[in-house]
Amino acid sequence: MIFNIKVLLINALLFPMLTWAQLYKIDRNEKVQSALKRINERRIYSFIKTFSSYKTRHHATKTGIKSAKDLRKYWQKISANRSDIQVLLIHHSDTPQPSVVVHIKGITDNRIVLGGHIDSINDHQSDVNAIAPGAGDNAAGVAVLTEVLKVLVDLNYRPVNTISLYGYAAEEVGLLGSKSIAQNLAQDRANILGVVQLDGVNYNFQGKDLVLIADYTNYFQNLFLGRLIDTYLNASWSYDRCGYPCSDHYSWWVKGVPVSFPFESELRYENPNIHSELDTIGNMNYNANHATLFAKLALAFVIEMDR
Ligand SMILES: [Zn+2]
């Protein structure tokens, strides 16, 4: 009996703890630093500028659908010389806007996931075609995904695990894209090592540099992100809470997948322009300085997790 309890304890506690210790190691300083050096603020800025120039990326509009197709083409262009990289549209039953995904195939089928939504909304007006540049929410998050892809390709990075970057459709109307993606992967019993949500990464005029959203996220992976920030970012951070399922991280969390959501600012200093026609790169001082922190964090996460 005692022996059985011991076995049970080892399996229930020690084994996952060893796995966490292995998974959340930080010992690839050289590799990470050489990736971080390649991050280019002007490139991130120019992506945000372009991706926020559609009248709207609302999920139910022509321009919203076009923005997804254009993103796919752009990601294909970046990865054109790599036969191990696949860029796909994912169609959904409850929105005309497809999600976009790029898979960098690993040796294993285990996945490391980054994601951010591609759609925008103007919730001051009922017209779906109302002006909604969504520069901060969330062209900037998609710009970070794009920068991660660009740097990994430029490094000729060949992953152990499959790295999947998702541009989710229709977040603003109920997390539709991410919900069906997480649902399908759970059904297929995909082994997802960890997910990081990038939604709101460039607006910060006061307070801490980054906050880790503590609700509907994974405690242990959040600790790991905190250590990555301390090791690689030279930035201040704290925890905060949304108090409700405020972004696509929730879609993973309900499926029991380890997920974190590092956010651009403390919620009391939140971007006042989101969901309006004022969410422009101009209202973020025409730069992507803050988003570069998130590109660093996302790259460090991917490289340190890829073992
Ligand atoms: Zn958003």
Side-chain angles (χ1 to χ4, degrees):
M1 188 63 182
I2 288 168
F3 176 73
N4 282 345
I5 286 172
K6 264 189 194 163
V7 169
L8 206 72
L9 275 176
I10 287 168
N11 279 316
L13 293 170
L14 198 58
F15 199 68
M17 275 167 73
L18 287 173
T19 313
W20 287 328
Q22 180 64 26
L23 198 58
Y24 297 147
K25 255 191 196 167
I26 298 181
D27 61 0
R28 296 192 164 161
N29 205 284
E30 221 170 286
K31 242 186 195 171
V32 174
Q33 295 295 0
S34 79
L36 301 196
K37 267 187 226 146
R38 289 175 178 267
I39 292 170
N40 183 326
E41 184 273 331
R42 282 293 95 183
R43 195 162 56 204
I44 299 173
Y45 165 78
S46 122
F47 182 94
I48 298 172
K49 201 172 155 227
T50 306
F51 207 58
S52 58
S53 67
Y54 301 93
K55 186 180 177 197
T56 178
R57 299 186 309 277
H58 190 283
H59 81 110
T61 64
K62 277 187 184 157
T63 49
I65 296 163
K66 184 176 185 326
S67 69
K69 291 180 177 168
D70 290 348
L71 180 64
R72 183 198 185 196
K73 275 187 214 145
Y74 191 59
W75 283 358
Q76 275 177 327
K77 198 173 139 195
I78 293 173
S79 50
N81 296 325
R82 290 274 298 264
S83 59
D84 59 330
I85 301 182
Q86 217 182 6
V87 190
L88 306 166
L89 292 177
I90 302 169
H91 295 280
H92 306 292
S93 57
D94 44 6
T95 165
Q97 185 177 50
S99 295
V100 190
V101 64
V102 48
H103 298 296
I104 310 173
K105 289 266 161 65
I107 300 160
T108 78
D109 282 336
N110 295 341
R111 310 271 197 112
I112 299 167
V113 171
L114 305 177
H117 68 90
I118 58 175
D119 63 318
S120 69
I121 198 163
N122 184 332
D123 61 12
H124 302 263
Q125 291 180 47
S126 54
D127 179 5
V128 294
N129 282 298
I131 296 171
D137 182 19
N138 182 38
V142 183
V144 167
L145 298 176
T146 305
E147 187 66 11
V148 168
L149 175 63
K150 175 78 177 132
V151 169
L152 292 177
V153 166
D154 286 353
L155 283 169
N156 197 24
Y157 188 84
R158 307 277 167 163
V160 176
N161 303 290
T162 294
I163 298 168
S164 300
L165 314 178
Y166 286 94
Y168 304 119
E171 183 265 357
E172 301 288 8
V173 291
L175 320 177
L176 301 183
S178 61
K179 208 186 280 178
S180 92
I181 288 165
Q183 169 76 39
N184 287 340
L185 286 174
Q187 235 163 34
D188 295 348
R189 298 185 186 280
N191 186 21
I192 301 164
L193 301 177
V195 178
V196 170
Q197 172 70 5
L198 298 156
D199 181 9
V201 297
N202 199 43
Y203 185 94
N204 183 301
F205 287 93
Q206 55 187 324
K208 302 279 185 197
D209 296 322
L210 298 93
V211 304
L212 300 179
I213 299 299
D215 47 352
Y216 308 112
T217 56
N218 182 280
Y219 177 81
F220 295 100
Q221 192 182 283
N222 289 345
L223 289 179
F224 175 56
L225 256 67
R227 285 165 50 229
L228 288 174
I229 296 170
D230 291 339
T231 308
Y232 294 117
L233 262 62
N234 190 25
S236 62
W237 66 277
S238 62
Y239 286 103
D240 207 344
R241 305 173 79 82
C242 276
Y244 71 101
C246 59
S247 189
D248 299 296
H249 59 297
Y250 181 77
S251 300
W252 298 103
W253 184 83
V254 291
K255 295 293 170 195
V257 175
V259 59
S260 298
F261 179 19
F263 190 60
E264 61 194 351
S265 71
E266 292 161 71
L267 288 161
R268 61 190 164 136
Y269 301 132
E270 201 181 10
N271 184 350
N273 302 318
I274 61 162
H275 303 172
S276 83
E277 58 182 272
L278 296 176
D279 184 8
T280 62
I281 190 71
N283 284 330
M284 295 184 292
N285 284 349
Y286 296 99
N287 72 63
N289 293 339
H290 201 62
T292 59
L293 288 177
F294 288 77
K296 286 182 182 177
L297 180 58
L299 270 168
F301 175 80
V302 165
I303 295 169
E304 292 283 7
M305 284 282 281
D306 186 31
R307 53 183 80 232

